[in-house]
């Protein structure tokens, strides 16, 4: 069984449509759809935006379905110049950019309890995602840090601060929480994002325009991943 989590319906609906032998399981306010996806046992969920929604959904998925790995897929804002709308970013690690206990001596972003700034993504899954993305014609792929926080970033100055602190290639609102929940349960994790906007003053316009295209890109990579 593999686990797939998107924050919004648009980020998983193409995969949802491909699921066969579907079974629905409600846990709290999360709905899990399990069945076969490209011939593989899979469970799919829409967690809702933000770190708490993502962490709760991931933990429920892990405890109920025992997936061998969990992938968080969807859209993101660019973390730096050179990462463009439509590009894919595959996380080497995820950070929580709004976690900050630095006034009492910790590094910015350190997540207490697991005591990590960079929450690792599984190297073997990352290699498979890279191979899958390379089969999609014309797709530009970046590997690096994905930064998560409970804010939609729409200011170039805020984006620069996050990039300066963490060298983030993309900013979004769930990957770091999915990665933390997976880390705490010893489950391999991946974060795969396609860029919908530049996380700057153009984002209010770009996000609604490009989200569907970007969401389709990350689902295309997952289909390629599962079809081998
Ligand atoms: N998801 C897509 N674009 C984003 C942005 N600019 N900030 C946070 N999450 C996003």
């Amino acid at each position: 069984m593999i686990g797939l989590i998107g924050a919004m319906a648009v980020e998983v609906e193409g995969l949802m449509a491909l699921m066969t032998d579907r079974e629905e399981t409600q846990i709290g306010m999360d709905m899990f759809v399990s069945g076969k996806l490209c011939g593989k046992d899979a469970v799919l969920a829409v967690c809702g935006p933000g770190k708490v929604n993502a962490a709760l959904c991931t933990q429920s998925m892990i405890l109920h379905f025992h997936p061998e790995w969990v992938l968080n897929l969807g859209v993101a804002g660019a973390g730096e110049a050179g990462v463009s709308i439509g590009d894919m970013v595959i996380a080497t690690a995820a950070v929580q950019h709004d976690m900050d206990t630095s006034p009492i001596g910790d590094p910015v972003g350190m997540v207490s309890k697991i005591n990590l700034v960079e929450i690792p993504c599984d190297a073997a899954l990352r290699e498979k995602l890279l191979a899958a993305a390379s089969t999609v014609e014309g797709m530009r792929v970046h590997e690096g840090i994905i930064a998560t926080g409970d804010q939609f970033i729409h200011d170039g100055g805020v984006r620069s601060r996050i990039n300066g602190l963490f060298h983030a290639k993309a900013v979004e609102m769930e990957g770091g929480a999915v990665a933390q929940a997976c880390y705490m349960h010893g489950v391999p994790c991946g974060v795969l994002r396609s860029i919908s906007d530049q996380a700057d003053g153009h984002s209010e316009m770009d996000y609604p325009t490009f989200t569907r295209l970007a969401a389709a890109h990350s689902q295309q990579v997952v289909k390629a991943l599962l079809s081998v």
Side-chain angles (χ1 to χ4, degrees):
M1 174 78 81
I2 56 161
L4 300 163
I5 298 179
M8 303 177 297
V10 66
E11 295 175 305
V12 294
E13 67 194 11
L15 299 175
M16 203 65 101
L18 291 177
M19 285 275 269
T20 58
D21 306 333
R22 296 159 65 103
E23 200 172 306
E24 295 189 351
T25 306
Q26 174 109 31
I27 303 175
M29 287 180 73
D30 287 312
M31 177 64 82
F32 297 89
V33 180
S34 52
K36 292 267 183 208
L37 189 57
C38 307
K40 313 263 185 333
D41 290 324
V43 55
L44 206 53
V46 176
C47 66
K51 302 203 304 293
V52 176
N53 284 331
L56 285 168
C57 179
T58 307
Q59 176 152 283
S60 294
M61 180 182 274
I62 289 170
L63 294 177
H64 193 88
F65 295 95
H66 309 288
E68 66 198 67
W69 48 257
V70 174
L71 178 69
N72 174 225
L73 73 149
V75 303
E80 61 186 22
V83 179
S84 307
I85 290 172
D87 289 1
M88 291 299 317
V89 181
I90 298 170
T92 51
V95 301
Q96 297 179 11
H97 65 75
D98 56 355
M99 186 72 194
D100 187 3
T101 51
S102 62
I104 52 170
D106 297 324
V108 179
M110 197 193 80
V111 179
S112 302
K113 193 156 142 181
I114 61 171
N115 295 336
L116 291 173
V117 174
E118 295 187 3
I119 307 167
C121 292
D122 184 68
L125 177 55
R126 202 171 80 227
E127 288 306 316
K128 287 186 194 153
L129 287 167
L130 265 176
S134 72
T135 66
V136 182
E137 181 138 358
M139 191 169 283
R140 284 190 3 129
V141 184
H142 309 264
E143 267 189 292
I145 302 292
I146 292 185
T148 301
D150 287 323
Q151 319 153 8
F152 185 86
I153 307 299
H154 63 120
D155 177 315
V158 176
R159 172 181 118 157
S160 291
R161 177 181 171 272
I162 294 170
N163 185 260
L165 284 166
F166 305 108
H167 309 291
K169 295 234 181 272
V171 291
E172 41 81 304
M173 300 177 65
E174 298 81 23
V178 173
Q180 181 180 349
C182 285
Y183 183 86
M184 291 173 74
H185 288 279
V187 174
C189 170
V191 183
L192 171 75
R193 296 282 180 155
S194 175
I195 301 301
S196 57
D197 59 272
Q198 295 289 349
D200 61 10
H202 302 289
S203 286
E204 283 93 337
M205 291 281 285
D206 289 345
Y207 179 80
T209 310
F210 296 113
T211 286
R212 191 158 288 282
L213 168 103
H217 276 180
S218 49
Q219 291 173 83
Q220 218 177 335
V221 173
V222 173
K223 268 184 247 167
L225 171 78
L226 299 182
S227 300
V228 289

